[in-house]
Amino acid sequence: MEKLKVIFEATQKRFIAARNERLIIHDIDVRRWALMANMAEDIQIPNFVASQSWVLRFKKKMNIVSRKVTKFVTRSYDDERVDLKVKPDEFLALEAKPYLENRGMAAFGNSDQSGFLRELHSGRSLTFRGERHVPGRIQSQNAMTHSYTIQSTITCDGRMFPQMLLCLQEVGGKFGPQVEKIMFDAPNIHAMASSSGKLTKAHVLSWFEKDYFPFAEKDSTILLDSRSGQKDQEAIDKLIPAGKTLRLLTIPAGRCKF
C-alpha cells in the first residue's frame, strides 16, 4: 500500500506540473506517469499496469474531469501575462504619477472610445428540449455587426468634459442632406459619421480640436490607449491652441484589461 501511495503522489506531482505548463493531458499520460513511477528501484510493484480502473480512481480522488479546451496558448503565454501585470504598475509610477502630482487632478484626464451595437439582443432563448438549431429573429444583420461610437473625457477629480464625440454609421461615411436637416443638434454632442460607425484618425483629431482642447486645463495631460489613430503626436501638436500645452501618455498595448 505504501508503494501505491508513492506512485499516486508521483503521478499527482507530474499532473500538477503539466497543468501549470498548460499542457493538454489525457488518460494515457496519467497511465504513463504511473508506470514511470513504478519503474523506480525502490518501488517496482509486480504486475502493476496502471489499469483504466486505477486511472479512474486517480482522477476521482484528484477531482479531475475532461473539459473542452477554451483557449489555446503558446509557451510564451505565462511570460506575457507576468509582463502585463508588472508593466502597468511601472507605467503609472514612472509616467503618470509625476504629472498627476505636479499638475493636479483637474489637469490629468483619461479618454476612451466606447462602441455600441445598434440592436441589442440576448444570446439565449427558451425553446423545446432536443431542438438542435435555435434561430433568433433580429431586425437587421447589419445592426448586429456595426456600432456607433462615443469618445468622452473624464479628469482625475471626477469632472466630465461637457462635450463628447458621437460617430454614427452612415453610407459613404457622411451625413446626407436630408439627415442634416432633421438631425437633432444637442449642445453637448459633436456628431460625425463614418461608414462603419467607428472612429478613424481624422475623427480622433477632430475630437482633440473640438471636444478636448476647448475644455482642457492650460497645461494638461491626457491618458489614452494605444489605438493607432491616437498616437500621431505630430498631427496632434498642430492642433494645440496658443497658450496651452499637452502631455500625451499612451497606455502600453494589452494593458487596459488590467
Side-chain angles (χ1 to χ4, degrees), residues 133-251:
H133 302 288
V134 185
R137 178 171 295 180
I138 57 176
Q139 295 182 20
S140 168
Q141 286 284 356
N142 189 53
M144 301 294 296
T145 58
H146 293 77
S147 64
Y148 63 90
T149 307
I150 67 169
Q151 179 148 6
S152 57
T153 308
I154 187 171
T155 59
C156 283
D157 61 355
R159 179 174 63 95
M160 286 287 296
F161 277 19
Q163 183 169 294
M164 71 171 64
L165 173 63
L166 169 64
C167 183
L168 301 173
Q169 181 193 8
E170 291 290 333
V171 176
K174 60 181 181 181
F175 297 120
Q178 292 300 319
V179 173
E180 290 185 331
K181 287 181 180 179
I182 64 174
M183 188 168 61
F184 177 69
D185 185 18
N188 61 336
I189 297 294
H190 168 206
M192 299 186 72
S194 71
S195 57
S196 66
K198 299 176 182 179
L199 302 188
T200 65
K201 178 181 175 180
H203 292 96
V204 173
L205 293 178
S206 182
W207 167 80
F208 267 109
E209 183 178 18
K210 297 183 178 180
D211 307 309
Y212 179 78
F213 286 125
F215 311 104
E217 297 287 311
K218 180 180 178 181
D219 300 310
S220 67
T221 301
I222 185 68
L223 184 64
L224 300 174
D225 62 23
S226 58
R227 299 175 194 268
S228 58
Q230 300 181 150
K231 297 189 296 183
D232 190 341
Q233 184 74 61
E234 183 179 351
I236 295 171
D237 286 345
K238 294 178 180 179
L239 301 174
I240 300 177
K244 287 193 173 184
T245 63
L246 172 69
R247 168 71 174 179
L248 175 62
L249 297 181
T250 301
I251 302 173

Side-chain angles (χ1 to χ4, degrees), residues 6-248:
V6 173
I7 292 175
F8 181 95
E9 291 176 347
T11 306
Q12 178 189 47
K13 184 177 180 180
R14 283 181 174 270
F15 180 89
I16 293 173
R19 282 311 299 143
N20 286 340
E21 291 292 326
R22 309 294 197 269
L23 298 180
I24 296 174
I25 305 170
H26 298 289
D27 285 6
I28 193 173
D29 299 304
V30 175
R31 187 183 181 204
R32 175 167 52 85
W33 294 331
L35 291 173
M36 290 174 62
N38 188 50
M39 292 172 62
E41 290 185 6
D42 56 341
I43 306 295
Q44 296 185 351
I45 301 175
N47 301 321
F48 177 79
V49 295
S51 64
Q52 186 62 35
S53 60
W54 185 91
V55 173
L56 289 173
R57 289 194 298 272
F58 174 83
K59 293 195 296 182
K60 184 175 181 180
K61 191 168 184 178
M62 287 284 292
N63 197 28
I64 297 169
V65 296
S66 179
R67 297 288 304 276
K68 178 182 178 181
V69 176
T70 58
K71 184 175 184 178
F72 293 94
V73 298
T74 62
R75 182 182 294 272
S76 62
Y77 174 73
D78 287 320
D79 293 337
E80 291 172 354
R81 283 184 59 83
V82 171
D83 187 50
L84 289 176
K85 290 181 180 179
V86 171
K87 287 193 174 181
D89 294 334
E90 295 177 355
F91 173 76
L92 290 174
L94 299 177
E95 297 288 343
K97 190 175 180 181
Y99 289 91
L100 182 61
E101 292 177 344
N102 294 335
R103 303 188 181 186
M105 292 192 295
F108 197 104
N110 175 230
S111 181
D112 197 7
Q113 299 174 20
S114 299
F116 300 88
L117 293 177
R118 292 169 54 196
E119 182 175 342
L120 300 178
H121 68 96
S122 171
R124 304 182 66 88
S125 175
L126 295 177
T127 190
F128 297 106
R129 184 186 299 274
E131 187 173 348
R132 297 183 61 183
H133 302 288
V134 185
R137 178 171 295 180
I138 57 176
Q139 295 182 20
S140 168
Q141 286 284 356
N142 189 53
M144 301 294 296
T145 58
H146 293 77
S147 64
Y148 63 90
T149 307
I150 67 169
Q151 179 148 6
S152 57
T153 308
I154 187 171
T155 59
C156 283
D157 61 355
R159 179 174 63 95
M160 286 287 296
F161 277 19
Q163 183 169 294
M164 71 171 64
L165 173 63
L166 169 64
C167 183
L168 301 173
Q169 181 193 8
E170 291 290 333
V171 176
K174 60 181 181 181
F175 297 120
Q178 292 300 319
V179 173
E180 290 185 331
K181 287 181 180 179
I182 64 174
M183 188 168 61
F184 177 69
D185 185 18
N188 61 336
I189 297 294
H190 168 206
M192 299 186 72
S194 71
S195 57
S196 66
K198 299 176 182 179
L199 302 188
T200 65
K201 178 181 175 180
H203 292 96
V204 173
L205 293 178
S206 182
W207 167 80
F208 267 109
E209 183 178 18
K210 297 183 178 180
D211 307 309
Y212 179 78
F213 286 125
F215 311 104
E217 297 287 311
K218 180 180 178 181
D219 300 310
S220 67
T221 301
I222 185 68
L223 184 64
L224 300 174
D225 62 23
S226 58
R227 299 175 194 268
S228 58
Q230 300 181 150
K231 297 189 296 183
D232 190 341
Q233 184 74 61
E234 183 179 351
I236 295 171
D237 286 345
K238 294 178 180 179
L239 301 174
I240 300 177
K244 287 193 173 184
T245 63
L246 172 69
R247 168 71 174 179
L248 175 62

